[in-house]
Amino acid sequence: MPGTRTRGLLALGGIAVAAVLTLIGHLEVNDDLSPWSLTVSDFAVSDRGGVIDVAMAVLAAATAALIPVLRRLGAGRPAAALLGAWTAGLVVAALVPTNEPGAPLDAAAYLHRYASVVAFLALPLAGWLLARHRGRAAPWLRALALTSLALAAAMVWSAYPGHRVLIGLAERLLILTEVGLLAVVAASLVRRPDGAAVTPVRGASTGGRPR
């Protein structure tokens, strides 16, 4: 199995590639699409199977690289399960398209929507749990987790009572915050020497039996 630092570096590389691909995907789409009022999925469906879909798959792979080493370092089953939910949500969102902007939602679009919702909620919750084990990164993880949840609430408000006002902006800020959270987790592994034991905060559960 690759070492702790190697996993962290792989994840950071995947995050960087996903960010670049997402930027390219925004530059290549029709000029009529507004990033302020349309979601990333709306952009992706205009270029089905294009770079934004690939970016989601790369980000899922980057997360998958982190999960085994986080479990080995004692991050706990709930955090690992939430990271798995984030990963699965990204994969489903990449594979299952939503509808064109303004079209009625079909079954595939609903699956895409709820997979995205699961992913957006799972990652900040995982970040909050991981903060108990990530030492110096803990304040950043808590701040990013709370910011992500606040932005998710803003997006829900925009999607329903807000009539989608600035929903694209809210989602992009949410994605930026959550990707930042994932990058902090990966960077904390890069700084940790291979084989170093985790030192959880006093009273925190590691998800296993007390030792």
Side-chain angles (χ1 to χ4, degrees), residues 48-136:
R48 191 66 206 148
V51 292
I52 292 180
D53 291 325
V54 175
M56 288 190 284
V58 170
L59 194 58
T63 307
L66 296 175
I67 295 174
V69 70
L70 289 170
R71 285 289 302 273
R72 179 164 55 84
L73 291 174
R77 293 179 182 176
L82 287 165
L83 287 174
W86 154 262
T87 303
L90 286 178
V91 171
V92 172
L95 295 177
V96 181
T98 188
N99 294 114
E100 294 286 345
L105 296 181
D106 58 16
Y110 274 112
L111 178 58
H112 178 98
R113 170 182 286 184
Y114 290 116
S116 300
V117 169
V118 168
F120 283 145
L121 293 179
L123 185 57
L125 294 175
W128 186 264
L129 294 177
L130 288 172
R132 298 182 297 181
H133 305 274
R134 301 267 50 89
R136 295 178 182 177

Side-chain angles (χ1 to χ4, degrees), residues 84-202:
W86 154 262
T87 303
L90 286 178
V91 171
V92 172
L95 295 177
V96 181
T98 188
N99 294 114
E100 294 286 345
L105 296 181
D106 58 16
Y110 274 112
L111 178 58
H112 178 98
R113 170 182 286 184
Y114 290 116
S116 300
V117 169
V118 168
F120 283 145
L121 293 179
L123 185 57
L125 294 175
W128 186 264
L129 294 177
L130 288 172
R132 298 182 297 181
H133 305 274
R134 301 267 50 89
R136 295 178 182 177
W140 283 100
L141 291 176
R142 292 192 181 97
L144 289 167
L146 291 175
T147 303
S148 296
L149 292 173
L151 288 168
M155 190 175 172
V156 169
W157 177 87
S158 178
Y160 295 101
H163 304 290
R164 294 179 64 87
V165 62
L166 295 180
I167 191 171
L169 176 61
E171 186 194 48
R172 283 161 179 80
L173 290 174
L174 173 59
I175 292 171
L176 182 63
T177 304
E178 297 206 348
V179 171
L181 188 156
L182 197 62
V184 169
V185 174
S188 73
L189 296 181
V190 173
R191 292 193 301 267
R192 179 183 294 277
D194 286 347
V198 67
T199 305
V201 174
R202 184 181 297 275

